[in-house]
Amino acid sequence: MSDDAPPPRPAEVPGPSDFRNPITERELHKALVWACVVVAFVLLWLTWQPLLLIFGGIVFAAMLDGGTRLLGRVLPIGRGLRLTIVCLAVLAFLVGTFWLAGSQLAGQAEALQIVISAQLNRLLGWVHDTGLVPPGAGGVGEIGKQIMGSLGRVTAWVGSALGAVSSMAMIVVIGVFVAIEPRLYERGVAWMLPLEKRADFYVTAEKMGFTLRRLMAGRLLGMAVEGVFTGIFAGIVGIPMAALIGIITGLLAFLPNIGAIVSGVLIVLVGFSAGFDTGIWAIVIYVAVQTIDGYLIVPMVAKRSVDLAPALVLGAQLLFGALFGIMGLALADPMVAMIKVLLERRSINAAEDAEQAGQTG
């Protein structure tokens, strides 16, 4: 071998530009994961409106499914017929309510707005007289805008009448289709998961469905109790616009915590507009109805579904209301319940895996 010959070349190893380099592969994997996370958040933010409509449809489907299952306990007929009966009953209730009381409620709604504005102006004047708020702080309209702004933006697609009607129509259509064949959509989602994850997905989906049905059953029961009893007792003690107040109270009962506060303010303001004694009776009615709902109905439902801390629900309502407007505020409670079920299932699976690893070790 000549002395001028070059030394032998070392064995070639992958360079930084070669994907076979373990370091390059690991860093590319990390970058891909973070890129997917960023893209997912961007897509979530850009598509939050249809996603909320889809989730609202799932919530409505849970209501229909719960009614169908409940009807199956007394009518031994097919699921399709039971679902049809439930849908027709809901439609008949809505049409009958607004057909029989539509003109009366429309007149009461206009009068209610006038009464609330007058009472708030009186309250604001008293606050100005006490010096708690400067006289130049603005009237009821400005304060209302500030309150709505603090709760979050109400976008045009929900805020306008056409947007609200079209959104509700989409939720109803999605809910009906999901309620007709829920297993079909469940299998479709499971098909996108690895085989080893599908069994756990079916268990989690069943638990979520059970929880959502119980939660919505309790919510509907609470709406009925608060709306009916508030309307009846308000009419007995002479509170003006008792029927409209009962309907508004029942609708607001769908929003835990915040709905009760808003309905309570409305009842008290309208009650004191008819006199001091009527205002006191309005307070008594509100406290009695909320006590029945809070200490009888809510615990009875919560112990069979998911027990959510009131502070957690209120915080979620403020957060989702600020981010997504009225729809986020209305669906905050079911969202929190579904997230809690998912986290509980993950915790159970982790505990089972740890136990199996300890036994094999």
Side-chain angles (χ1 to χ4, degrees), residues 76-100:
I77 57 179
R79 174 182 170 83
L81 290 177
R82 287 184 278 120
L83 179 60
T84 302
I85 293 175
V86 172
C87 293
L88 292 177
V90 173
L91 181 62
F93 172 77
L94 295 177
V95 172
T97 300
F98 289 101
W99 178 266
L100 295 176

Side-chain angles (χ1 to χ4, degrees), residues 266-338:
L266 292 177
I267 295 171
V268 173
L269 289 178
V270 176
F272 277 102
S273 69
F276 181 79
D277 294 339
T278 308
I280 297 300
W281 275 113
I283 296 176
V284 172
I285 292 172
Y286 171 74
V287 172
V289 172
Q290 292 300 323
T291 300
I292 294 174
D293 185 48
Y295 289 94
L296 180 62
I297 298 176
V298 172
M300 179 180 64
V301 176
K303 69 181 181 181
R304 302 195 64 181
S305 57
V306 57
D307 193 7
L308 298 176
L312 176 63
V313 175
L314 180 58
Q317 287 177 324
L318 295 177
L319 177 61
F320 292 147
L323 292 175
F324 308 123
I326 297 297
M327 287 290 292
L329 182 65
L331 299 176
D333 195 22
M335 286 184 187
V336 173
M338 297 300 96

